[in-house]
Amino acid sequence: MARALRLAARGLYTTQPNPRVGCLIAHGEDFVGEGWHQRAGEPHAEVFALRAAGERAHGATAYVTLEPCSHQGRTPPCADALIEAGITRVVVATDDPNPKVGGAGVQRLRQAGVVVETGLMREAARELNRGFFSRFESGRPWVRVKLAMSLDGRTALAHGESKWITGEAARADVQRWRARSSAILTGAGTARADNPRLTVRWSQGDGFHPPLRVVLDARLDALPPGAHLLDGGAPTLVLHAPDAVSPNARYARVELAAVAGDTHGRFDLDAVLQLLAARGVNELQVEAGAVLCGALFERGLVDELLVYVAPVLLGDAARPLLALPELTDMAGRWELRVIEQRRIGADWRYLFRRATPVGI
C-alpha cells in the first residue's frame, strides 16, 4: 500500500478535480502490475495496473488507495474491471466520500465473491487527498493560507511594501504549493496593491491545468486597467456582491459570479467556499492580506497555515500576520500544531494546523 500511495502522489498536480489514486497488483510478494490516475477523464489507476499485469491479474491481490468506483462516469466502473480480470482480493486504504461511490464499490466487489479489506494506511490516503475529502465531507475546499513573514511576525511595511521578505528559494517553493492547488484566492486590496499574477511559474509536465485564480471584488471596481489578474493568462473568477454594477470592458476576459454578503455587508466566506466546492475545487490556497486571512481563520475556515519565516526584522509599525480580535486572557489563544518544518534556502517553511482539527 505504501508503494501504491507513492504511485498516487505522481498525480499530485494533474488529477484535479479527481482524487490522486494509485493501484498495485501482486501475487504474494511479487508485483505484477501498477498504475496511477494521471488526468481527469482518463483511465483510473486500476485500469493502468490491470493493463500492466495482463493475465497475471487472475488470482492476484489489488492494493488500491481509494475505493474502486462502481458507477459509469467519464470512464467505466473500476470495480467491474477488477472483477472481470479475475482479481480475488482487494485491499482498500480508504472509502470514497463521493456519494456516487460511498461503499457501493466495495459492495459490488464482495457480491462478486472478491475478498475486500479496508483501512490499511487510511490516514495517509486521506492526507494525500485532503481537499477531495473536505469537498465532499465538509462542503468546502481544504483551505491553506500561505504567508511570508519576518522573524518578528510582520508581513509588510506599514505602507504596504512586501517584496520581498523571503528569498528566491522560498518563492520558488511556493510555486509547487500553487501547482497542487485547485484554486488560488486573493482579496481586492492585495490585488490592487501588489498586482499579483497568481500563476504557477514552474514546469509540471503533461496534463497540468493551471489553478483557477479567484478574486473577491465586491463592487467590481478594485482591479485597475492592466491588472495581471485580468490578462486572460489563466482561468480567473471574480466574485462580487449581487448588486454590483455591471463591469466595463476590462473585466471581459474573466468569469463573474455573485456571492451573497453577510449581515455586515461583507462577503459571506462560507458561501464563497461552498461556491468553489460546487465548482470542483479541492484545495484552495489563499494568498491575501491580514484582514481576509484573519477573517477566514477566525471563522474556523482555515485548515492549515503555510508560513515562510525569513531571518529579518521589520519593526513594530509593520503589518501583522493576521488581523484577529484582541484577546482578554490567554485561555482564548489559538493553539496550533506543527505538521512540518523545513529549511528553504535562507528561510524556514512551517506547516501549521489547529491543535483541534477542523478538516480531515
Side-chain angles (χ1 to χ4, degrees):
M1 188 63 78
R3 171 63 180 169
L5 283 166
R6 289 193 294 273
L7 290 167
R10 295 185 183 182
L12 191 65
Y13 308 110
T14 58
T15 63
Q16 163 67 25
N18 290 354
R20 300 122 185 176
V21 183
C23 177
L24 183 144
I25 298 175
H27 270 293
E29 296 184 359
D30 296 329
F31 297 165
V32 299
E34 62 182 32
W36 69 95
H37 182 44
Q38 299 175 17
R39 284 173 286 276
E42 296 188 4
H44 291 180
E46 297 92 328
V47 173
F48 284 114
L50 289 171
R51 288 176 181 174
E55 293 183 0
R56 298 193 69 189
H58 191 80
T61 295
Y63 295 85
V64 190
T65 61
L66 188 71
E67 178 184 2
C69 62
S70 56
H71 66 287
Q72 176 71 48
R74 285 190 282 181
T75 58
C78 291
D80 290 352
L82 292 168
I83 294 167
E84 292 168 5
I87 293 289
T88 57
R89 176 171 171 255
V90 176
V91 181
V92 178
T94 183
D95 56 319
D96 192 325
N98 187 338
K100 293 181 179 179
V101 182
V106 168
Q107 182 181 14
R108 181 173 296 190
L109 289 167
R110 286 175 172 160
Q111 288 175 341
V114 178
V115 175
V116 181
E117 300 170 21
T118 63
L120 180 62
M121 301 189 73
R122 178 177 182 270
E123 293 308 314
R126 287 177 62 90
E127 177 70 18
L128 180 63
N129 286 302
R130 51 192 184 266
F132 183 75
F133 279 90
S134 179
R135 176 160 65 92
F136 283 103
E137 295 178 349
S138 302
R140 65 169 179 81
W142 178 270
V143 177
R144 175 173 51 252
V145 170
K146 190 278 293 183
L147 299 160
M149 73 176 192
S150 62
L151 197 59
D152 51 350
R154 304 293 168 165
T155 60
L157 299 179
H159 58 74
E161 181 182 352
S162 61
K163 296 182 178 180
W164 297 103
I165 294 175
T166 55
E168 185 175 344
R171 297 196 297 275
D173 187 69
V174 170
Q175 302 304 314
R176 290 169 168 78
W177 291 90
R178 284 184 176 181
R180 67 171 289 163
S181 304
S182 309
I184 305 170
L185 173 73
T186 195
T190 299
R192 185 170 50 247
D194 296 345
N195 193 20
R197 296 182 184 275
L198 298 187
T199 53
V200 177
R201 297 179 291 279
W202 171 59
S203 176
Q204 305 79 31
D206 294 338
F208 174 74
H209 295 284
L212 176 70
R213 303 185 296 190
V214 183
V215 189
L216 302 185
D217 183 0
R219 309 315 315 169
L220 288 174
D221 60 1
L223 301 178
H228 294 312
L229 292 172
L230 300 177
D231 62 11
T236 305
L237 174 66
V238 177
L239 301 180
H240 58 84
D243 60 347
V245 177
S246 298
N248 57 35
R250 71 175 183 268
Y251 285 79
R253 290 196 245 179
V254 302
E255 182 183 356
L256 303 174
V259 178
D262 61 18
T263 55
H264 302 286
R266 299 169 299 196
F267 276 106
D268 183 332
L269 296 176
D270 292 273
V272 168
L273 297 182
Q274 290 165 11
L275 180 149
L276 294 178
R279 295 174 62 99
V281 172
N282 293 328
E283 291 186 28
L284 175 68
Q285 181 150 310
V286 181
E287 300 189 19
V291 173
L292 176 55
C293 292
L296 286 164
F297 187 87
E298 185 183 358
R299 285 194 54 81
L301 299 175
V302 175
D303 296 292
E304 58 188 12
L305 295 172
L306 179 67
V307 182
Y308 294 84
V309 182
V312 299
L313 299 172
L314 297 184
D316 289 350
R319 297 185 180 183
L321 189 69
L322 297 172
L324 294 171
E326 181 180 358
L327 298 179
T328 57
D329 56 66
M330 289 296 287
R333 67 187 185 273
W334 293 275
E335 295 187 6
L336 305 174
R337 55 194 173 110
V338 180
I339 302 300
E340 179 188 83
Q341 59 181 1
R342 182 173 298 183
R343 181 80 175 268
I344 307 291
D347 308 309
W348 283 89
R349 185 188 75 200
Y350 292 87
L351 190 65
F352 296 102
R353 293 182 188 162
R354 288 181 185 258
T356 302
V358 295
I360 55 173

